[in-house]
Amino acid sequence: MPTTTGASPAATAHRRRSRRKAPPPRQPWCCSFGLDPSTAAAAAASRSPLPAPPRAKPPHQLAPPLSRRIRSPGRVSPIDDPCFATAASSCVSARLSSVTECPPPALPPPPPPPPPAAVDRPREMLRLRLVEKGLVLEVDEVERVRRESKVVRKVLRGRGGEVAVEGKVEVESFREVVEMMLEDKDETAAMRRLARGGVARAIGVLEVSLSLMFDRGVNNCLKYLEAVPWNESEEDIIKKLLSQHSSYEAAFRNLLARLQPQRPTSSAELVVELVDSITKGTNNNARKELRNLVNGILSKSSVYIKGDKELDKSSIYCICHSCLNSLVGLFEESSDLVPADQTSISSVGKGPLEGIYKLVEDTNWLLQILIDRQMGEEFVDAWANEKALRSMHEQVSPMVRHELSRISATVFIAMGNGKLHCTGDKRFSFFQAWFRPMLVDFGWLRRYPKGLNVTALEEGIGQALLTLTLAQQQMLFMEWFEAFSRQGRECPNLMRAFQVWWRRSFVRSLGSSS
């Protein structure tokens, strides 16, 4: 039994080479060797490597004929015996020479070329250009945006295109609108999205939605803005948007109700109601705060008032006369309760005195409103002719009657500052009625000013007195001179005005040569 040790060195080297990986075939169908061309084409298509040849067997086992040992085109299985190897080599050489001498076999028709790959159509692309920012947002879901936006539907008649959006809007608001178009029609989710951005973002989303005529976005923004508070700058922007897009007037109805009264009410009527409510109030601290509030509304520099038409003068005077009539009743009541010689406030109960203080405070407040609006001349005439209060001034205690001089002090200061433009007769009538009571009550006003500027009062009395004729001034200055000589600083100090009158009358008079 022969063993493998008897194998020739050439066969051993061939076995070592056969263990290496076979190289890939080259054009397996180009060499026939009796192979089916279709088999060769299939092998080329699959490009699978040829299996490695089996290990060589001993010579006594090489029984099959030579043709069965062909494993691949152009390859021959190894043969151990040298004689067989020589015979095989001569046989292969003879066959190769015969192949080269005969014409090449007819090649099979080439396989049909693969069908051309389908050319992808260009995708639709919508370009939304934010003009103010110079930015472009590209959206590939064009059909969905086209269904939501009337502007996009009108502009994009073909496939894709560009839509310009005007206005000073933020990029995030622009993006919010597009995302709202692409999301499901969930109103709750849209409201949550707007709530996260706040009022300013919702206004920006509303502006873009109005520009693109995105109805669902407009309605969501309006519903959110109607339910939340705004500041005044945000209110101005909302008003501007609503005025620019009148086609959405029906959708703006609820929002307009917060900006325009359905049944307009005159502001003058409301001011009268506010003033009347304050004069009838009983909480002193609250009344003071509300007076400051109304003063701010009625101030000429206020943003809450447009002109003089915002104040109904006749209605304010009606309230003034009502206060004066109430004062007459309280003074009649206090004349019975408080003797004329009583001068101690601590011994007086609350009762009518608090009512007098309240009415005087309200009357002075109303008078100041009229003076600031240059409507106080009629009050000067009414106060000069208030005979009932003037007659009771001498019958009640100075601790009560000095409240009447508090009203006169307001008139004196305004007249001395040139804010009351009364005629000379009315000015003199006022002095005749209330100048003497002022000389008597000035000490009480100094001790209990309650916010009254006593220095301004002295200056106002002197300046107002100098607006009268020189003869009228002489009569009143002489009366002051006598009162001041008796009471001293319990009277107002009118010395500066007295000196002016004296120079005008005797030193620098119009008829004097100097």
Side-chain angles (χ1 to χ4, degrees):
M1 189 76 182
T3 61
T4 57
T5 55
S8 64
T12 303
H14 187 75
R15 282 198 303 272
R16 291 178 181 176
R17 286 194 301 270
S18 63
R19 293 176 184 174
R20 299 177 184 175
K21 184 177 180 181
R26 297 180 182 179
Q27 297 181 354
W29 47 265
C30 66
C31 189
S32 61
F33 281 97
L35 296 177
D36 187 2
S38 62
T39 305
S46 62
R47 297 183 180 272
S48 58
L50 295 177
R55 299 179 63 180
K57 295 183 179 181
H60 64 276
Q61 295 181 3
L62 298 177
L66 180 63
S67 61
R68 295 183 181 179
R69 297 190 182 95
I70 300 176
R71 296 286 183 249
S72 62
R75 282 179 174 266
V76 181
S77 298
I79 301 176
D80 295 336
D81 195 345
C83 63
F84 282 105
T86 303
S89 299
S90 59
C91 180
V92 170
S93 298
R95 295 188 64 178
L96 286 176
S97 60
S98 63
V99 170
T100 54
E101 293 175 358
C102 66
L107 297 177
V119 180
D120 293 337
R121 294 185 304 172
R123 300 179 63 184
E124 294 181 335
M125 185 65 68
L126 170 63
R127 295 167 55 87
L128 298 174
R129 182 163 56 89
L130 192 57
V131 178
E132 185 68 23
K133 300 291 184 181
L135 298 176
V136 175
L137 183 64
E138 294 183 345
V139 184
D140 54 4
E141 298 188 37
V142 180
E143 187 59 33
R144 198 166 183 178
V145 176
R146 184 187 286 115
R147 288 197 304 266
E148 294 284 359
S149 172
K150 296 179 182 178
V151 172
V152 175
R153 193 183 314 150
K154 181 178 180 180
V155 174
L156 302 185
R157 299 185 182 277
R159 299 182 180 276
E162 182 174 289
V163 176
V165 179
E166 304 288 344
K168 298 181 179 181
V169 296
E170 297 297 330
V171 178
E172 291 301 325
S173 301
F174 196 59
R175 189 186 303 275
E176 287 280 351
V177 173
V178 177
E179 292 179 356
M180 196 179 297
M181 288 181 178
L182 300 180
E183 69 182 3
D184 295 333
K185 298 181 179 181
D186 187 355
E187 183 175 322
T188 303
M191 295 295 286
R192 284 199 296 265
R193 177 189 292 273
L194 294 172
R196 286 195 299 268
V199 175
R201 178 69 57 78
I203 293 176
V205 173
L206 175 61
E207 184 175 358
V208 178
S209 299
L210 289 171
S211 301
L212 296 177
M213 299 184 72
F214 173 35
D215 293 345
R216 183 163 59 88
V218 170
N219 293 329
N220 289 335
C221 291
L222 292 177
K223 185 175 180 180
Y224 170 75
L225 291 174
E226 193 274 333
V228 297
W230 330 309
N231 57 38
E232 293 189 357
S233 61
E234 293 168 344
E235 177 183 339
D236 293 338
I237 299 176
I238 293 175
K239 286 181 179 178
K240 182 179 179 181
L241 289 177
L242 299 188
S243 62
Q244 292 176 346
H245 300 274
S246 57
S247 59
Y248 284 90
E249 185 175 357
F252 294 161
R253 185 177 297 109
N254 293 334
L255 207 60
L256 287 173
R258 289 179 56 176
L259 300 171
Q260 297 176 354
Q262 302 299 321
R263 297 179 180 178
T265 304
S266 172
S267 60
E269 296 177 2
L270 290 179
V271 168
V272 173
E273 292 184 17
L274 297 176
V275 171
D276 189 52
S277 298
I278 293 174
T279 57
K280 294 178 180 178
T282 57
N283 189 309
N284 291 331
N285 292 332
R287 290 171 62 250
K288 183 178 180 180
E289 294 179 3
L290 292 176
R291 281 198 299 268
N292 293 334
L293 174 62
V294 174
N295 287 339
I297 294 175
L298 295 178
S299 174
K300 288 186 177 181
S301 60
S302 173
V303 297
Y304 304 105
I305 193 167
K306 294 183 178 179
D308 295 342
K309 295 181 180 180
E310 302 297 330
L311 183 63
D312 186 357
K313 183 175 72 172
S314 61
S315 298
I316 298 297
Y317 270 106
C318 286
I319 300 176
C320 286
H321 288 299
S322 176
C323 291
L324 295 180
N325 293 334
S326 299
L327 269 177
V328 172
L330 289 177
F331 262 83
E332 290 176 350
E333 185 178 352
S334 64
S335 63
D336 298 334
L337 297 175
V338 184
D341 57 351
Q342 183 174 341
T343 58
S344 175
I345 292 182
S346 60
S347 62
V348 180
K350 293 186 176 179
L353 292 182
E354 288 190 353
I356 291 175
Y357 300 153
K358 173 180 174 297
L359 286 172
V360 170
E361 191 177 50
D362 290 339
T363 303
N364 265 333
W365 174 55
L366 295 174
L367 174 58
Q368 194 62 53
I369 291 176
L370 293 170
I371 292 172
D372 291 341
R373 312 290 295 179
Q374 298 181 356
M375 301 176 181
E377 289 76 14
E378 294 181 18
F379 184 88
V380 177
D381 189 24
W383 187 241
N385 296 322
E386 190 58 58
K387 297 180 180 180
L389 289 174
R390 188 176 59 187
S391 62
M392 285 187 290
H393 181 272
E394 300 177 356
Q395 301 174 10
V396 297
S397 169
M399 60 176 293
V400 178
R401 73 189 184 196
H402 82 277
E403 292 294 332
L404 296 179
S405 293
R406 197 179 298 278
I407 298 176
S408 300
T410 304
V411 178
F412 279 124
I413 294 174
M415 195 176 290
N417 292 335
K419 294 182 178 179
L420 287 173
H421 309 141
C422 303
T423 62
D425 293 340
K426 291 184 178 181
R427 292 197 304 272
F428 185 62
S429 297
F430 170 72
F431 270 93
Q432 283 182 315
W434 295 105
F435 182 66
R436 184 174 298 174
M438 176 59 69
L439 298 179
V440 175
D441 297 332
F442 185 81
W444 283 84
L445 293 176
R446 182 188 292 276
R447 287 191 291 272
Y448 305 102
K450 296 181 180 179
L452 175 64
N453 189 335
V454 178
T455 303
L457 174 58
E458 292 177 323
E459 184 70 20
I461 294 173
Q463 292 297 322
L465 203 155
L466 291 174
T467 63
L468 303 176
T469 64
L470 290 177
Q472 293 170 348
Q473 292 179 40
Q474 180 177 348
M475 181 183 66
L476 295 173
F477 274 121
M478 292 306 296
E479 184 176 355
W480 165 80
F481 200 92
E482 293 177 3
F484 193 84
S485 65
R486 294 192 306 269
Q487 303 175 25
R489 292 301 295 163
E490 292 295 310
C491 276
N493 187 353
L494 304 181
M495 292 184 182
R496 184 180 300 177
F498 182 87
Q499 292 172 355
V500 174
W501 163 75
W502 186 273
R503 287 196 300 269
R504 287 178 180 173
S505 298
F506 304 108
V507 180
R508 303 180 52 161
S509 61
L510 188 61
S512 62
S513 58
S514 57

